[in-house]
Amino acid sequence: VFAVIFAVVIWKVLSNQQQTFSRRFISKCLEYKKDNNESYCQQIFHVFEKAYIGKPMCNVTMEDYDDLMAMVPFDHPCHQTMLWSKTNELVHKYTAKDEDKKDCFTLEDTLLGYILNDERWCGKKGSNETFDNGCDDCANSAVRSFWDSASAEFAEYACGNVTVMLSGSEEKPFNPFSTFARVEIKRLKHPFVKKLNVILVTGNKNVSNCAADNLNIDLQKALDSNILYSCNEVPESRIRECSSSSDTDVGCVACL
Ligand code: C8R
């Protein structure tokens, strides 16, 4: 009897956990779309979970998300693309604007980035459920492969002048292990992309500036040689001021 009760309790906990993740997914999708098209959001969730469901936790590849990426194309202006590395909080503060004034877009401003930002999820071999805890953080985890896949698409979609916000508090603002260095920079392609603007955020603990070899050599080597390059050091305080200004200039460097 105890064994049966125990099994039922475990089953309830697990199925509840799955409902929580999928419900959160659908409700964020509806929140973003604002058109109450629940069946579209459910369809996306179904294609999303196919990427990792029933697979060993550390065995999910970027390609497993191909169907999802094909199903949810971007629709933001490609010439207003903002990339970032190690500036998560600041870049999103800087780019946050009301819809009618929005002039600079990060991956988190797109449907999938919005839904999955700050989420954890994984599947398990032999199970058809989504888990949102107890997920290992490995190279081919469902979460990492998702961000690699979405970041690849996002960078390939970019055009014109692309901006990237990097951190001057890092010894290597262009960290070779970052998504920006591993996945995004090599997918910026001339002639779609004309120029890469680096905004290097400076503050009280600066360890690098625009003259760093890591930017002038490592980053520029990774960048398509036909794409122009510029680097500007901008104090964090200035970036924070810009976030609250109602500047309506177009683009990602309007207020700097
Ligand atoms: N991008 C990557 N990772 C993202 C992400 C995103 O938009 N959004 C979230 N929440 N994450 P980092 P990075 C999660 O080291 O590696 C795109 C992932 O779990 O500061 O260079 C985006 O377009 C991921 O492991 O930056 C951006 O340009 C960490 O946050 C780069 O890639 C990444 O944190 C940023 O990735």
Side-chain angles (χ1 to χ4, degrees), residues 81-88 91-92 105-109 113 116-121 137 143-144 146-148 150-152 154-155 163-166 170 173 175 177-184:
T81 297
M82 173 67 98
L83 308 175
W84 53 271
S85 191
K86 304 288 178 286
T87 53
N88 194 340
V91 76
H92 292 113
F105 295 79
T106 65
L107 184 49
E108 286 67 33
D109 294 314
L116 293 162
N117 192 23
D118 295 331
E119 293 287 351
R120 306 262 128 224
W121 66 93
D137 183 21
V143 175
R144 283 201 196 207
F146 166 77
W147 288 113
D148 282 2
S151 304
F154 191 63
T163 308
V164 61
M165 191 178 282
L166 302 179
E170 298 283 321
N175 183 322
F177 302 109
S178 67
T179 312
F180 174 64
R182 282 185 305 109
V183 177
E184 294 180 323

Side-chain angles (χ1 to χ4, degrees), residues 64-247:
D64 289 333
Y65 287 101
D66 282 354
D67 289 347
L68 178 68
M69 296 303 150
M71 190 183 168
V72 191
F74 297 122
D75 57 7
H76 59 282
C78 64
H79 64 285
Q80 294 177 346
T81 297
M82 173 67 98
L83 308 175
W84 53 271
S85 191
K86 304 288 178 286
T87 53
N88 194 340
E89 186 267 335
L90 190 64
V91 76
H92 292 113
K93 182 132 200 291
Y94 176 69
T95 55
K97 278 199 183 139
D98 294 340
E99 217 164 323
D100 51 331
K101 287 191 197 149
K102 188 97 186 143
D103 54 6
C104 182
F105 295 79
T106 65
L107 184 49
E108 286 67 33
D109 294 314
T110 70
L111 177 61
L112 292 174
Y114 178 80
I115 297 175
L116 293 162
N117 192 23
D118 295 331
E119 293 287 351
R120 306 262 128 224
W121 66 93
C122 60
K124 267 184 199 149
K125 196 171 156 62
S127 160
N128 63 357
E129 304 193 17
T130 297
F131 300 86
D132 61 4
N133 58 54
C135 299
D136 293 341
D137 183 21
C138 33
N140 283 320
S141 71
V143 175
R144 283 201 196 207
S145 293
F146 166 77
W147 288 113
D148 282 2
S149 173
S151 304
E153 297 287 322
F154 191 63
E156 256 161 42
Y157 179 85
C159 69
N161 286 1
V162 175
T163 308
V164 61
M165 191 178 282
L166 302 179
S167 169
S169 317
E170 298 283 321
E171 209 143 317
K172 290 191 171 172
F174 181 68
N175 183 322
F177 302 109
S178 67
T179 312
F180 174 64
R182 282 185 305 109
V183 177
E184 294 180 323
I185 197 166
K186 56 184 149 217
R187 288 184 168 83
L188 302 177
K189 285 278 158 34
H190 185 86
F192 307 109
V193 175
K194 311 253 177 271
K195 187 173 176 191
L196 178 68
N197 300 313
V198 171
I199 297 177
L200 188 67
V201 182
T202 59
N204 11 3
K205 52 166 196 170
N206 287 333
V207 285
S208 47
N209 55 31
C210 284
D213 282 355
N214 175 246
L215 296 174
N216 279 334
I217 299 175
D218 305 345
L219 184 148
Q220 294 209 48
K221 223 189 263 172
L223 185 65
D224 182 329
S225 60
N226 295 307
I227 297 178
L228 300 172
Y229 166 83
S230 76
C231 180
N232 287 292
E233 293 162 20
V234 184
E236 181 174 339
S237 54
R238 176 70 194 138
I239 296 177
R240 291 198 185 275
E241 272 167 35
C242 286
S243 335
S244 52
S245 90
S246 58
D247 201 296

